[in-house]
Amino acid sequence: MPARKTGFLVGAVAGVGVFAAAMAGMGVRASAADQPGLMRTANTSVMFAPPPGGPKSFADIFEDVSPAVVSIDVTTRVDASTLRQIPGAPFGLAPPGGGGGSETSPPDGEDGAGPGGGAEPLPGAKGPKQQASGSGFFISAEGYIVTNNHVVEGADDIKVIMKDGRELKATLVGRDENTDIAVIKVEGSNFPFVSFENSAKPRVGDWVIAVGNPFGLGGTATAGIVSSYGRDIGDQYVDFIQIDAPINRGNSGGPTFDIYGRVIGVNSAIFSPSGGSVGIGFAIPADIADNISKQLISGGKIQRGYIGATVQNLTPELADADGLGTIKGAIVHDLRPGGPAAKAGVQPGDIVISVNGVPINSNTALTREVARAKVGDSIKLEIYRGGKKQTVEIKSGMRPTEAELAKLADAGGGGSGPANVPTPAVQPSKPVLGMMMTPLDPATRAQLKLPSDSKGVIVTSVTDGSDADDKGIRRGFVILSVNGKQVASAADVASVVDAAKKAGRNAVRLDFSTGGSQAGFLGLKVQ
């Protein structure tokens, strides 16, 4: 696991004492009655009074749930051939512990280059051991513990430390890389455990408490509120809960509780330019963690629905190209031959706006909703095709593993990019949409490994500052169709653009490829 640098940020919390000192320094004598949050009792002693709706203390919650929360120490061995590539702590989004978290011991040698910092290791040689720390929590009296996949991935040894100081050896039950959930188990019985809360979710603004092992400091509690739901941080199967309860490296895999001591999320990532908490943490929702952990414990393969379609976000320009205004959704670009979507009659260019009645606002939202289905379930897509709404019903398949999907993508062929594009025999005409284009000729088809009968135009240059330039179109891109109409010349493109303008459209949809591989749809402004 990659080593990550960590550090502490120490700051003062302004409280009643700070307030009083500040007032005194200004020559102002503040009485308890004047200070917010203070009240006097009958014997004139001062006590803290929380604001309406705020708990007086989280101590009772912590006392109830903390025995079920554990620290996890993981030992791994680094492949010596990769030691030169071990990075330091990244900026931005990062897992708060595990995978080289707070307790990581760096490899021997400067910059992680092995002993002496210079010798090249033998291929396949084992590198030094690394220690990492994370968090987890019991979900049953029989010793099952939920944590993050990135905490235990690649572990040679897993040790669990309980609140009472007991150290227990744990074994891996199963893990799911796509949701970052893993289950481990310790031998024994009658362990304290906590339960997931799948229905009565706290509202945005409600109190939550996180318990875990930040920087190796086990049994740490922090409190805050739910900041938001449905955060997309790049994981296609999880819409995260955002919380502001401080979580740091080592909190990974630990629980976030509501004020009733129920688990509402599993801490997984933080957004931080420094590596420490800045009040933006992300937790995997309880319903996802509960479902995945049950499947892992049962020993079954994680099953996710699958329709065999490549989808991308519906941009405002793509929506406008179909005359759909500000509608949200995902657009189908490609279909797996013989897959469930192809069999059901889904077509490239279909715009999906809901799955089984759930509104879709992005390609990841579509993937998540499809993934919820079981093999054989009916999946109903509400789509726009040619500007008209209709429903397509698909029988779900089972999603292949990521490795299997990668093999399928590789089998589809395609080049590496538009480099070394030959000069076309026919010179381009005047620019259209900020692009100079010319028909494909035999030499270009051969260079880009396109079928000999393929139609389209190749971009030979792009005007600086044009929308095409801003959207990343470059020399060598092949435009296959515009607004669903196949094009074979710049004049064909211009004709479709003129028709779109007359229809009051502000954009057109390009289907393009690079290096001979299908690349996707792109909306370009026409005005």
Side-chain angles (χ1 to χ4, degrees):
M1 291 181 284
R4 300 189 188 280
K5 300 176 183 176
T6 58
F8 287 96
L9 293 177
V10 181
V13 179
V16 172
V18 175
F19 177 86
M23 295 291 283
M26 294 170 60
V28 178
R29 190 179 183 87
S31 69
D34 296 328
Q35 297 181 36
L38 293 180
M39 60 179 292
R40 287 198 177 275
T41 59
N43 63 2
T44 71
S45 63
V46 180
M47 63 179 291
F48 180 75
K56 182 181 294 186
S57 171
F58 295 99
D60 289 341
I61 303 171
F62 180 76
E63 187 174 330
D64 287 343
V65 302
S66 59
V69 183
V70 300
S71 299
I72 300 174
D73 285 351
V74 175
T75 302
T76 63
R77 276 193 179 273
V78 179
D79 183 344
S81 64
T82 68
L83 289 182
R84 289 189 179 278
Q85 303 172 27
I86 294 176
F91 290 96
L93 200 63
S102 61
E103 296 295 299
T104 299
S105 302
D108 294 331
E110 187 177 359
D111 298 326
E120 291 291 341
L122 294 173
K126 283 293 185 180
K129 289 184 178 181
Q130 286 196 129
Q131 303 292 326
S133 295
S135 306
F137 55 99
F138 285 102
I139 58 169
S140 78
E142 291 73 36
Y144 289 102
I145 296 169
V146 168
T147 185
N148 280 153
N149 170 70
H150 75 259
V151 170
V152 298
E153 184 177 11
D156 290 336
D157 182 71
I158 306 172
K159 182 173 65 175
V160 168
I161 301 96
M162 297 184 62
K163 183 183 179 183
D164 60 13
R166 281 184 288 170
E167 296 185 1
L168 305 171
K169 182 177 177 59
T171 57
L172 179 65
V173 174
R175 60 188 185 87
D176 179 42
E177 184 177 358
N178 290 317
T179 57
D180 199 23
I181 290 293
V183 177
I184 59 177
K185 188 178 188 302
V186 296
E187 293 302 318
S189 60
N190 297 321
F191 291 104
F193 66 94
V194 289
S195 301
F196 288 109
E197 174 52 62
N198 295 328
S199 54
K201 296 180 179 180
R203 299 166 300 168
V204 172
D206 279 346
W207 288 106
V208 291
I209 178 172
V211 183
N213 181 36
F215 300 114
L217 303 172
T220 298
T222 56
I225 63 170
V226 174
S227 301
S228 183
Y229 282 101
R231 289 303 194 203
D232 184 348
I233 62 173
D235 288 26
Q236 58 182 340
Y237 298 112
V238 181
D239 48 348
F240 287 85
I241 306 169
Q242 181 184 332
I243 63 172
D244 75 345
I247 58 176
N248 289 282
R249 298 187 183 279
N251 273 112
S252 279
T256 291
F257 296 99
D258 63 14
I259 59 173
Y260 302 102
R262 302 172 300 199
V263 180
I264 59 104
V266 180
N267 299 321
S268 181
I270 58 174
F271 183 85
S272 173
S274 64
S277 173
V278 293
I280 301 178
F282 301 99
I284 303 162
D287 58 342
I288 295 175
D290 188 21
N291 177 43
I292 296 299
S293 60
K294 285 177 178 175
Q295 289 189 61
L296 293 174
I297 290 171
S298 70
K301 183 178 180 180
I302 300 297
Q303 293 191 6
R304 294 184 173 91
Y306 177 70
I307 61 174
T310 302
V311 295
Q312 62 182 85
N313 286 329
L314 182 70
T315 64
E317 289 86 0
L318 288 173
D320 189 71
D322 272 336
L324 298 178
T326 59
I327 195 171
K328 301 290 185 181
I331 185 168
V332 176
H333 178 257
D334 198 14
L335 299 166
R336 180 64 56 195
K343 289 180 179 178
V346 175
Q347 299 177 11
D350 285 349
I351 296 170
V352 182
I353 59 172
S354 75
V355 176
N356 290 337
V358 178
I360 297 300
N361 58 15
S362 68
N363 58 343
T364 54
L366 187 149
T367 300
R368 282 195 293 267
E369 289 305 317
V370 169
R372 293 178 190 275
K374 297 178 181 178
V375 177
D377 282 356
S378 175
I379 300 176
K380 292 183 179 179
L381 303 186
E382 189 176 16
I383 67 171
Y384 274 102
R385 180 183 297 166
K388 297 181 179 179
K389 188 187 294 187
Q390 57 184 282
T391 299
V392 178
E393 189 167 345
I394 304 171
K395 185 177 181 180
S396 175
M398 185 169 76
R399 184 177 179 84
T401 65
E402 298 307 309
E404 291 168 341
L405 287 173
K407 288 181 180 178
L408 289 172
D410 291 341
S416 59
N420 300 319
V421 177
T423 302
V426 179
Q427 294 304 307
S429 59
K430 63 180 182 179
V432 181
L433 297 173
M435 299 176 290
M436 298 290 279
M437 297 167 280
T438 189
L440 288 173
D441 58 24
T444 305
R445 292 189 185 96
Q447 177 74 28
L448 299 179
K449 300 179 182 179
L450 295 172
S452 59
D453 60 347
S454 58
K455 304 288 186 181
V457 294
I458 187 167
V459 177
T460 58
S461 65
V462 181
T463 303
D464 289 344
S466 65
D467 194 38
D469 181 37
D470 292 342
K471 297 288 176 57
I473 292 183
R474 297 292 180 263
R475 169 181 163 82
F477 279 43
V478 176
I479 299 173
L480 306 173
S481 68
V482 182
N483 280 358
K485 295 180 174 61
Q486 195 174 68
V487 293
S489 66
D492 290 344
V493 177
S495 176
V496 177
V497 170
D498 288 341
K501 289 180 178 179
K502 291 178 181 178
R505 309 285 171 80
N506 296 314
V508 292
R509 184 184 76 223
L510 272 61
D511 185 6
F512 69 95
S513 70
T514 61
S517 61
Q518 294 292 321
F521 290 123
L522 187 65
L524 288 185
K525 297 175 183 177
V526 297
Q527 295 177 345

